[in-house]
Amino acid sequence: MVLPADGLIQLTPEGLYCPAAEAWIDPWRPVSRALITHGHADHARPGCGEYWAVRSGEGVLQQRLGAGITLTGVDYGEVRRLGGAVVSFHSAGHVLGSAQIRISAGGESWLISGDYKRDDDPSCAPFEPVAADVLITEATFGLPIYRWRPGHQVAAEILAWWREAPQQPSLLFAYAFGKAQRLLAELAALGLEEEVLLHGAVQALMAPYRSAGVALPPTRPLSEFPRGESLAGRLVIAPPSAHRSPWMKRFKAPRTAFVSGWMAVRGARRRRGFERGFALSDHADWDGLLRTVRDTGAGQVYVTHGNSDGLARFLREERGLAAEPLGRAFEGLESEEGEMEGAAAASVP
């Protein structure tokens, strides 16, 4: 399924395009004007003439795309006119500065969700329900087996896991932008005041969160920790790419755990070789996806990423909506959390 060739939002080789605004949303290739939902690498790419994004996400975009990009910051809910279209950004609750983008023209409104979640998250603004005629939604976790527990409960389990082995370093692997900072914010909300050590990839994205006023525990780059000093009892947060890499040679008998929504699936943790898995995601679960579709009031829904076929079929057959998967044009454009998508899907009963 592709979008109508004469629609308000069209699918081009560069990605989703709004002719009325002369702008692309999270384009795949360099374009003259990019409206960015958030700073993850599969949504914000280098080389565009100008970028539009939420102000609280500016620091992350400049960190990832370069301080010299031409960037226009807007506030959540602020209405701007671009060409013949009216554009506004609304909180997606995904990571710091994440947004849904609403575009209207000619009496029709579309909402492009980007990545989003409905759960509480102390590291970013909460999701805002937004009405639209047409919705483009993600479906990374678009199966009924995915239902999340509150983040503070998972963080309490992580804290207990760390405390139970003071004689060993505890290595917690989590995506460097968003998940790592959410974990730290959840731990701070539980009262953690002890220093946490960070891999360089995580440390690089801490400044925007601290500048935004997110409450976080003390942190220090692992690279600044004295080489001769014991790491026993320390909590270290690193990206998944560091697991089983030469970076781990510094640790003696470490314990390992991975934090991801994919940890809800039997077998995913074992295949990746982690000793422990904690299911925590910055994407909407099954109930969150259905709730969002309902809240928009959209009569037409296009579904991208993950389990798009299954969610679209459910919306058609059970909810009576005009719903279609957006198609293979989006294959391979997975989020940072989506890197385990194939492995996880293989183990779904």
Side-chain angles (χ1 to χ4, degrees):
M1 179 68 187
V2 297
L3 301 178
D6 58 350
L8 179 60
I9 304 296
Q10 302 172 4
L11 191 56
T12 72
E14 291 77 22
L16 296 174
Y17 175 59
C18 177
E22 298 183 6
W24 283 259
I25 302 95
D26 293 347
W28 311 332
R29 302 172 182 171
V31 298
S32 56
R33 177 185 288 162
L35 311 181
I36 301 298
T37 61
H38 64 285
H40 277 144
D42 57 328
H43 292 259
R45 293 176 172 82
C48 294
E50 62 180 81
Y51 295 87
W52 290 60
V54 172
R55 293 188 200 284
S56 57
E58 288 181 347
V60 173
L61 285 179
Q62 290 168 334
Q63 174 74 27
R64 295 203 143 185
L65 302 181
I69 61 173
T70 300
L71 176 60
T72 298
V74 299
D75 293 322
Y76 285 130
E78 181 181 349
V79 176
R80 294 290 191 101
R81 178 168 289 279
L82 290 178
V86 174
V87 179
S88 54
F89 292 66
H90 304 267
S91 177
H94 177 56
V95 294
L96 181 67
S98 62
Q100 311 164 77
I101 298 177
R102 186 179 191 274
I103 301 178
S104 60
E108 183 179 35
S109 60
W110 286 55
L111 183 68
I112 298 91
S113 72
D115 295 334
Y116 65 93
K117 69 173 178 292
R118 305 301 301 260
D119 306 312
D120 293 337
D121 180 344
S123 68
C124 67
F127 179 93
E128 176 190 355
V130 180
D133 300 314
V134 182
L135 169 67
I136 298 178
T137 180
E138 62 137 319
T140 302
F141 291 101
L143 286 173
I145 61 170
Y146 296 112
R147 287 187 164 93
W148 310 138
R149 293 184 300 129
H152 65 86
Q153 291 184 11
V154 179
E157 292 180 1
I158 290 172
L159 196 59
W161 169 78
W162 173 26
R163 298 299 193 199
E164 71 187 13
Q167 75 284 7
Q168 293 174 274
S170 295
L171 306 189
L172 190 63
F173 293 91
Y175 300 99
F177 168 38
K179 185 65 62 59
Q181 293 78 20
R182 180 187 181 187
L183 283 171
L184 288 165
E186 296 278 11
L187 292 172
L190 293 174
L192 179 69
E193 297 180 349
E194 187 173 342
E195 181 183 70
V196 179
L197 300 176
L198 304 179
H199 183 280
V202 177
Q203 175 63 32
L205 291 157
M206 293 299 292
Y209 278 82
R210 294 197 184 279
S211 296
V214 177
L216 300 166
T219 59
R220 180 169 28 154
L222 178 66
S223 59
E224 295 180 5
F225 194 79
R227 278 272 174 185
E229 194 169 325
S230 173
L231 287 162
R234 289 284 187 163
L235 178 65
V236 183
I237 298 180
S241 59
H243 186 226
R244 292 177 169 172
S245 74
W247 175 84
M248 288 186 63
K249 292 181 179 179
R250 179 171 179 177
F251 303 97
K252 295 181 180 177
R255 310 162 76 231
T256 63
F258 186 37
V259 185
S260 169
W262 300 118
M263 294 297 95
V265 177
R266 184 179 57 208
R269 172 173 55 86
R270 184 180 64 252
R271 281 192 297 276
R272 291 292 294 262
F274 297 102
E275 298 171 21
R276 181 76 182 268
F278 297 99
L280 184 72
S281 179
D282 290 326
H283 293 259
D285 63 4
W286 176 252
D287 293 330
L289 291 168
L290 298 183
R291 180 183 172 194
T292 300
V293 171
R294 183 192 63 215
D295 287 351
T296 64
Q300 174 73 62
V301 180
Y302 296 102
V303 186
T304 75
H305 296 88
N307 299 289
S308 55
D309 288 345
L311 178 59
R313 183 169 60 251
F314 181 89
L315 294 173
R316 286 195 310 272
E317 296 177 356
E318 302 297 329
R319 300 298 166 87
L321 297 173
E324 299 290 342
L326 196 47
R328 295 183 178 278
F330 282 84
E331 283 189 354
L333 302 173
E334 297 173 350
S335 68
E336 295 195 0
E337 191 163 35
E339 72 173 41
M340 290 187 67
E341 184 172 319
S347 64
V348 173

